[in-house]
Structure formats: structure tokens, C-alpha cells
């Protein structure tokens, strides 16, 4: 009896296997034909770093404040600056990014208050010589020309206006009720920091501000 | 009608009118040889590409895509690459045997086509012992594999060669016995007569009178062609590549070629003996030329073999042997006995 049962179940399973592979034969392959097709990179993906320019004047947004260089955990950024005698504004004379050490943590982008540096969805920057991985200011500006961005200050102002109106309702809807105390603490810490940067910002602001 | 027989007849008549008889024999022998070699090569090129496509799509990949439309030139590109490769001979190899192994393999794979009817009248030589001849000649492959394994002076090759010898000899027994049922019904060994007897509707095909025989034949033939799930002679994960580890360039390509030719051979035999050869499944479909039917059935069978390969895992050596001797062999005997009863009763 056992033999018959084993044989029938064996045959059944063999046929089942054939059926499975046959079905798969007609499915659409999951392969992405890479050089011909590319993934759509997400908005906030952390790929190659670019320097952003003002879309109107075409000048770099960077004020050479050095915050990004200080924030960088691996000291990938080197900046030298000069002061314009007329406008009394700083501008960078040298801005290099050493992508061989950069770990794409995004801290530089968070530190910058002037929408000047951003991690983008761009990739494909392989080179045949390692020295080419030291990006100069002009190159960083060039690859950042087509990057669209939302100005931080404007966004913050908008949020500030919007926040008091639909304050409580939005907050309870967007913040999950089951948030741990730790997370809440973190949130408030970040908010404090943000408050320091842009003074006079109300403490209860929408969670969307944290993304900046 | 697009039958090919009249074309060959015309060529034969033309040759007879301009050449003495001796030369006609020579020319037609070399001519048919060249035609079969050419046709089979085209099929092999196609099969290699097809197998890669089938395997890829079964795993939801694309397979070759870069060379030509959906990579159809891939096999040709591979062939060109293999031609350029350095031809290595291991220092301690048995040179003569080493050099002859791929040739033997290649020739053995092709000799079977002498008695396979590709269409109505499209047969090189209708031997009256056709089946016997094919069984004998296809087993020749084992000699070449053993030669390759032995001469390479490499433990993986030798293991692969020994395994293939053990496997092919074991499976030769049920394979031959499974064909006896067909021979008993047909009462002939000639391939053409067997096909002629399966004329008419598809239920005249011998697969419906010999289902057990067909199953045993197909499984044994899969093992004979060293294909998964019975590919232990070249089990990549255990033996690197088995008997052909040390081969490179065109010598390796010849083994590869022979493997795919064998796939076509076992399909052609299955079609001839069990699926009505060149006959259409229904009489009113006869307007399609016979060779198209034959090729179509062969392609279907080759697809099934590929399907097996990309579905089933490899069996172990002991399972393989146990399966051959303890299961397939008794089944083949049962088939012969049942056929005998059938013939006696009807
Ligand atoms: S992403 Fe991180 S590591 Fe790279 S430059 Fe910015 S701060 Fe430095
Ligand atoms: S990129 Fe931003 S943070 Fe870095 S120096 Fe320029 S303005 Fe300052």
C-alpha cells in the first residue's frame, strides 16, 4: 500500500513541478534591461552629491558657511572661502568632495541652511582612474543644474503658516498613536534644533518639517 | 506541395546523367553527409539558444538579449569565441586518446541519422535492422566519454567518465527493452515500415498502444543523453564539469555539439517509433509537408526535454542506479509481457 501511495504522490509532484515551471515560462521577466531601462529613483534617494544653483541667476547657493564640512563624519568636504568686499557675502573659492570616502549619510544636506548641497538619485559615476572621484566645485555645480529642489526657507514658512490652523487634527492623524516615548524624545530634539536654526518657529509644527 | 523527396530525386537523376555510377555513389554519400551535418548544425545552434531562452524565462529572466533580435546570434558568437580559444592539452594526458575522444563522440552522435526518416522518403538508408543499428550506435557515446575521462589525467574527468559509463550502460538495458514492445507490434525493425504502420488518425500512433513503453523509453533516453535529472556525469557542482573538464576550444565545442545532437536524436527516435513519424495527426492535415510534421514533433519533444531539465533537481548516483535496475527494468519487462498478451488476445 505504501508503495502505491508513494508512487502516486511522486508522480503528482513531478507533474506539479512541470506545471509550475510552465506557468513561469509565460510570466514577464523581472530583469531590468539596465543600459536601456533604468529604475525611477525615489525623490530622497542618497546618490551622488551635487551643489545646487539659483535657477534664476545661475549662481551657486553656497555661502561657504562650512557647516557641511563640519557635519561630515568622514571629512569628505574641503572648502575655502573669500568675502566679496562689496556685498560682504562669503563665497567658496574651492569646494571639493572626495567621493572615495563619502558614505552618503546625507548629514551635509541636513546641515546646510541655504539649499546648496543635496544628495540626488544620480548614479553611474564610475571612472577608470581613482583621482577622478575627487569632485571639484564646477563639476558638482554642473551635475546639479537639472536637479529640482524646494527651497527650505519657503517651505518652512509655508509650514509655519499652515501649522496653527489645522494643528491638532493633522497631528493626531499623521502621528501614529503607538509611538514610543523614545521616538517622541527624538522628535522634540530635532524640533529644538530646527528651532535654533530658524528662530521664532513655534514648537508644535507638522511632521513634514523634519524631512528637511 | 513542398515535399523534399522530388528535389532529391531530380538531383540524383541529374548526377546519373553526367557521371559514371561509381562517382554518383561517392557524390551522393558525401552530399547526404554534408546535408545532415548542415541541418543538424543549424538545429544545434538553434537548440542552444532556445534552451537558454527557455531556462531564462522559466526563471523569469530574459536570457541572451544583446546579440541580434532577442540574442538569436548568441550561439554563433559563442562559436566564434570558441574557435579563437587556445587549444590546451594537459601535460600528462594520453595524447592520442585525448584527441580522438571528441571525434568519436561527434561521429557517434551523427551516425544515428543514417536510419532516421526525416520525412516521406527522406532517409539516408532504410536498413532492415534500423532500430538495432540506432541502439548500437548511440551507445558508442559512452566509449568517447570514457576515453575523454581517462585520457585527461584529471580526477574529476575520470569520475565523470566512470559515472557516465555506469549510467549509460545501466539505462541502455531498459531503453532497449522498452523498444521491444514496438517491435513486437510492428513486426519489423525497419524505421520506415514502423512509420508507415502508424498512418492515419493520431490514435494509430504507437504511443497509444505502448504508453508504458514510451514512458520507460523517454526516461531512459533522458538518462542516456546525460540530461537533468540524470546529468551526474557532468554534475557541475560536484565534478566541475565531468568528463570534459580539461577540454577547451573546439574540442569542447564538439562535446557540446554532440550533447545537443543526442537530444535531437532521442527526440527523433521517440517521434518515429511512438508519434507516427512524418504523419500528420489527422488525414486532412496531409497538405502540410511530411518533413514539417516530423521537425515540429521533434521540436516539441526537445522542448519537453528542456522543460525537464529546468524543473527537476539532479538525482544521486545510488538513486540513479536503483531507479534503473529496480524500477525501470521491471517496468520494461512488464511492458513486454503486457504487449505479448495484447497481441495474443487481439
Ligand atoms: S553624505 Fe555624509 S559623508 Fe558624504 S559628504 Fe555628506 S556628510 Fe560627508
Ligand atoms: S554647502 Fe551649505 S553648509 Fe556647505 S558651506 Fe555651502 S552653504 Fe554652508
Amino acid at each position: 500500500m505504501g508503495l502505491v501511495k508513494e508512487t502516486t504522490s511522486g508522480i503528482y509532484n513531478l507533474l506539479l513541478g512541470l506545471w509550475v515551471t510552465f506557468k513561469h515560462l509565460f510570466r514577464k521577466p523581472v530583469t531590468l534591461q539596465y543600459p536601456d531601462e533604468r529604475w525611477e529613483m525615489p525623490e530622497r534617494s542618497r546618490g551622488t552629491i551635487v551643489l545646487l544653483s539659483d535657477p534664476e541667476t545661475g549662481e551657486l547657493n553656497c555661502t561657504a558657511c562650512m557647516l557641511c564640512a563640519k557635519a561630515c563624519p568622514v571629512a569628505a568636504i574641503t572648502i575655502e572661502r573669500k568675502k566679496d568686499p562689496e556685498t560682504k557675502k562669503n563665497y567658496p573659492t574651492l569646494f571639493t568632495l572626495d567621493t572615495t570616502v563619502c558614505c552618503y549619510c546625507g548629514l551635509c544636506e541636513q546641515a546646510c541652511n541655504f539649499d546648496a548641497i543635496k544628495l540626488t538619485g544620480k548614479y553611474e559615476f564610475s571612472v577608470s582612474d581613482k583621482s577622478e572621484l575627487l569632485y571639484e566645485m564646477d563639476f558638482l555645480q554642473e551635475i546639479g543644474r537639472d536637479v529640482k529642489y524646494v527651497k527650505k526657507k519657503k517651505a518652512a514658512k509655508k509650514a509655519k503658516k499652515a501649522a496653527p490652523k489645522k494643528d491638532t487634527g493633522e497631528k493626531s492623524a499623521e502621528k501614529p498613536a503607538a509611538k514610543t516615548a523614545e521616538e517622541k524624545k527624538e522628535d522634540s530634539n530635532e524640533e529644538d534644533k530646527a528651532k535654533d536654526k530658524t528662530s521664532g518657529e513655534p514648537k508644535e509644527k507638522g511632521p513634514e518639517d523634519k524631512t528637511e | 506541395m513542398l515535399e523534399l523527396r522530388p528535389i532529391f530525386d531530380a538531383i540524383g537523376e541529374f548526377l546519373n546523367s553526367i557521371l559514371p555510377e561509381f562517382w554518383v555513389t561517392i557524390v551522393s554519400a558525401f552530399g547526404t553527409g554534408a546535408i545532415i551535418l548542415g541541418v543538424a548544425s543549424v538545429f544545434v545552434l538553434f537548440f542552444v539558444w532556445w534552451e537558454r531562452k527557455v531556462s531564462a524565462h522559466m526563471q523569469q529572466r530574459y536570457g541572451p538579449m544583446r546579440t541580434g533580435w532577442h540574442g538569436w546570434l548568441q550561439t554563433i558568437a559563442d562559436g566564434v569565441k570558441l574557435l579563437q580559444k587556445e587549444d590546451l592539452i594537459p601535460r600528462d594526458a594520453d595524447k592520442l586518446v585525448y584527441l580522438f575522444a571528441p571525434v568519436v563522440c561527434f561521429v557517434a552522435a551523427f551516425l544515428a541519422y543514417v536510419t532516421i526518416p526525416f520525412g516521406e522518403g527522406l532517409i539516408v538508408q532504410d536498413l532492415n535492422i534500423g532500430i538495432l543499428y540506432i541502439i548500437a550506435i548511440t551507445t558508442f557515446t559512452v566509449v568517447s566519454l570514457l576515453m575523454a575521462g581517462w585520457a585527461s589525467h584529471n580526477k574529476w574527468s575520470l569520475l565523470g567518465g566512470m559515472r557516465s559509463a555506469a549510467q549509460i550502460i545501466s539505462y541502455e538495458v531498459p531503453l532497449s527493452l522498452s523498444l521491444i514492445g514496438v517491435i513486437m507490434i510492428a513486426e519489423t525493425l525497419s524505421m520506415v515500415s514502423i512509420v508507415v504502420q502508424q498512418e492515419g488518425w493520431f490514435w494509430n500512433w504507437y504511443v497509444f498502444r505502448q504508453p508504458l513503453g514510451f514512458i520507460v523509453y523517454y526516461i531512459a533516453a533522458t538518462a542516456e543523453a546525460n540530461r537533468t535529472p540524470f546529468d551526474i556525469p557532468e554534475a557541475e557542482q560536484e565534478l566541475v564539469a565531468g568528463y570534459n573538464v580539461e577540454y577547451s576550444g573546439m574540442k569542447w565545442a564538439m562535446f557540446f555539439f554532440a550533447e545537443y545532437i543526442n537530444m535531437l536524436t532521442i527526440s527523433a527516435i521517440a517521434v518515429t517509433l511512438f508519434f507516427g513519424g512524418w504523419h500528420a495527426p489527422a488525414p486532412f492535415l496531409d497538405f502540410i509537408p511530411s518533413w514539417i510534421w516530423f521537425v515540429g514533433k521533434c521540436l516539441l519533444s526537445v522542448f519537453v526535454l528542456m522543460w525537464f531539465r529546468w524543473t527537476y533537481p539532479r538525482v544521486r548516483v545510488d538513486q540513479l542506479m536503483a531507479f534503473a535496475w529496480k524500477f525501470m527494468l521491471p517496468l520494461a519487462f512488464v511492458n513486454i509481457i503486457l504487449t505479448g498478451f495484447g497481441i495474443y488476445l487481439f
Side-chain angles (χ1 to χ4, degrees), chain B residues 266-277:
Chain B
I266 59 178
S267 301
I269 298 171
V271 169
T272 311
L273 297 186
F274 293 102
F275 287 95

Side-chain angles (χ1 to χ4, degrees), chain B residues 59 133 149 156 183 221 238 242 246 272 287 306 340:
Chain B
Q59 297 164 353
Y133 169 81
W156 309 123
I183 299 168
E238 303 158 36
E246 294 290 356
T272 311
F287 63 91
M306 291 175 182

Side-chain angles (χ1 to χ4, degrees), chain B residues 40-312:
Chain B
S41 309
V42 171
F43 271 112
V44 168
L45 290 181
F46 171 66
F47 286 164
V48 174
W49 173 80
W50 199 26
E51 169 132 50
R52 293 178 70 170
K53 280 305 208 189
V54 166
S55 67
H57 280 274
M58 279 180 175
Q59 297 164 353
Q60 260 147 79
R61 300 180 284 114
Y62 280 110
M65 284 295 274
R66 295 275 151 218
T67 38
W69 181 83
H70 278 249
W72 69 273
L73 283 166
Q74 187 63 46
T75 336
I76 296 167
D78 287 347
V80 171
K81 185 203 82 173
L82 284 170
L83 274 172
Q84 294 169 341
K85 284 228 166 168
E86 191 186 350
D87 200 13
L88 285 174
I89 300 178
R91 195 187 57 218
D92 294 325
D94 189 339
K95 298 235 165 43
L96 200 65
V97 182
Y98 182 84
L99 290 177
F100 267 102
V103 179
V104 172
C105 191
F106 197 69
V107 171
F110 268 107
L111 279 178
Y113 287 90
V114 170
T115 60
I116 288 177
F118 291 97
E120 210 165 350
L122 285 184
I123 184 164
V124 180
Q125 186 71 54
D126 183 19
L127 296 178
N128 56 0
I129 50 155
I131 297 182
L132 197 62
Y133 169 81
I134 285 184
I135 291 172
I137 222 70
T138 46
T139 321
F140 235 78
T141 317
V142 70
V143 180
S144 71
L145 302 192
L146 208 51
M147 278 165 80
W150 176 259
S152 298
H153 200 267
N154 176 319
K155 60 186 167 194
W156 309 123
S157 311
L158 186 57
L159 270 175
M162 298 306 280
R163 278 187 183 188
S164 74
Q167 172 179 332
I168 294 182
I169 289 171
S170 308
Y171 275 87
E172 197 63 41
V173 181
L175 183 124
S176 314
L177 289 176
S178 70
L179 297 182
I180 286 181
V182 172
I183 299 168
M184 282 163 77
I185 296 179
E187 294 178 348
T188 173
L189 285 167
S190 146
M191 299 292 258
V192 172
S193 328
I194 290 174
V195 175
V196 169
Q197 288 183 20
Q198 302 178 60
E199 207 174 349
W201 287 87
F202 62 86
W203 53 75
N204 285 345
W205 294 355
Y206 282 152
V207 68
F208 296 107
R209 292 201 234 167
Q210 288 283 322
L212 200 57
F214 171 68
I215 290 167
V216 173
Y217 167 77
Y218 214 62
I219 294 174
T222 313
E224 192 98 330
N226 289 337
R227 287 187 66 82
T228 318
F230 307 107
D231 65 337
I232 57 160
E234 43 195 287
E236 289 94 346
Q237 295 85 348
E238 303 158 36
L239 296 179
V240 197
Y243 58 88
N244 58 17
V245 177
E246 294 290 356
Y247 284 88
S248 61
M250 271 330 270
K251 289 210 205 70
W252 180 82
M254 278 163 99
F255 277 120
F256 197 65
F257 213 88
E259 208 181 303
Y260 278 84
I261 282 287
N262 277 336
M263 203 156 90
L264 184 61
T265 314
I266 59 178
S267 301
I269 298 171
V271 169
T272 311
L273 297 186
F274 293 102
F275 287 95
W278 66 72
H279 290 306
F284 60 84
L285 286 171
D286 270 345
F287 63 91
I288 298 171
S290 56
W291 56 276
I292 290 188
W293 281 114
F294 184 81
V295 169
K297 288 174 189 175
C298 280
L299 290 183
L300 198 67
S301 164
V302 168
F303 171 76
V304 171
L305 286 173
M306 291 175 182
W307 192 8
F308 282 170
R309 172 158 179 191
W310 297 100
T311 303
Y312 297 137

Side-chain angles (χ1 to χ4, degrees), chain A residues 51 61-69 79 95 111-114 116-117:
Chain A
L51 284 180
N61 286 348
C62 180
T63 58
C65 67
M66 305 276 189
L67 279 178
C68 56
I79 307 172
F95 195 113
C112 182
N113 281 328
F114 302 94
I117 192 164

